[in-house]
Amino acid sequence: MGSLSRVVSMAWTQQEVRELKEGRYMLIDEEPCRILSIQTSKPGKHGEAKARIDAVGIFDGSKRSVVFPVKHKVQVPMIGKRQAQVLSLNDTEVQLMDLESYETFSLPLDEETKGQVAPGGEVQYLDAMGKRKITRT
């Protein structure tokens, strides 16, 4: 069990808020999120500039907003974009095999990808923080 927690903890790096860019990723509430927009405010008389970040969760789809000083360090997830072959599917899930590691695993089949995957076909999936999601068919 200890080795699993070590793998998950190494699944992110740190970056200052001022280094973040729209379209990139960051962790908000332990959830990998894609950054939609960043607005920075000018520093006040005794403060420092702050950044408001609007993002959407990769896996849960919920929108999140946070405000941090621009020198604040945030966690940035290490996201792998990988290819897999569809081995089989039913109404609720699809069984995939990673084309590099040959690992097989199942993912839930959502409405977006339901009609687009077929056995023998290939898909692209995201792998982040121990979770996976099909992104392209």
Side-chain angles (χ1 to χ4, degrees):
M1 181 70 186
S3 64
L4 179 64
S5 62
R6 195 168 47 245
V7 169
V8 172
S9 68
M10 292 303 295
W12 53 268
T13 60
Q14 279 195 329
Q15 226 175 356
E16 284 190 12
V17 170
R18 62 188 168 90
E19 298 171 328
L20 297 174
K21 292 183 173 40
E22 291 178 14
R24 297 268 178 87
Y25 302 93
M26 69 178 288
L27 287 180
I28 302 175
D29 303 328
E30 301 289 315
E31 182 70 29
C33 298
R34 190 170 58 82
I35 298 170
L36 300 173
S37 67
I38 303 173
Q39 293 100 25
T40 52
S41 62
K42 289 187 164 51
K45 189 172 182 182
H46 298 289
E48 58 179 313
K50 291 197 172 22
R52 176 191 164 94
I53 302 168
D54 294 318
V56 63
I58 298 173
F59 299 109
D60 62 6
S62 63
K63 291 195 172 194
R64 295 171 168 84
S65 293
V66 290
V67 176
F68 289 121
V70 292
K71 291 183 181 171
H72 183 79
K73 289 197 183 293
V74 294
Q75 296 173 341
V76 176
M78 305 293 281
I79 296 182
K81 289 183 178 162
R82 305 179 63 98
Q83 295 286 115
Q85 182 175 3
V86 178
L87 297 177
S88 65
L89 69 149
N90 60 31
D91 290 341
T92 57
E93 66 179 22
V94 57
Q95 185 167 20
L96 301 170
M97 179 181 68
D98 186 283
L99 291 176
E100 278 182 42
S101 67
Y102 302 111
E103 172 194 4
T104 58
F105 56 92
S106 294
L107 291 178
L109 197 58
D110 56 12
E111 291 301 315
E112 297 169 31
T113 54
K114 195 170 258 184
Q116 299 177 343
V117 292
E122 289 186 12
V123 296
Q124 185 180 56
Y125 70 96
L126 289 181
D127 187 0
M129 303 296 291
K131 297 179 184 175
R132 295 175 172 149
K133 178 183 178 182
I134 296 174
T135 55
R136 196 174 302 149
T137 54

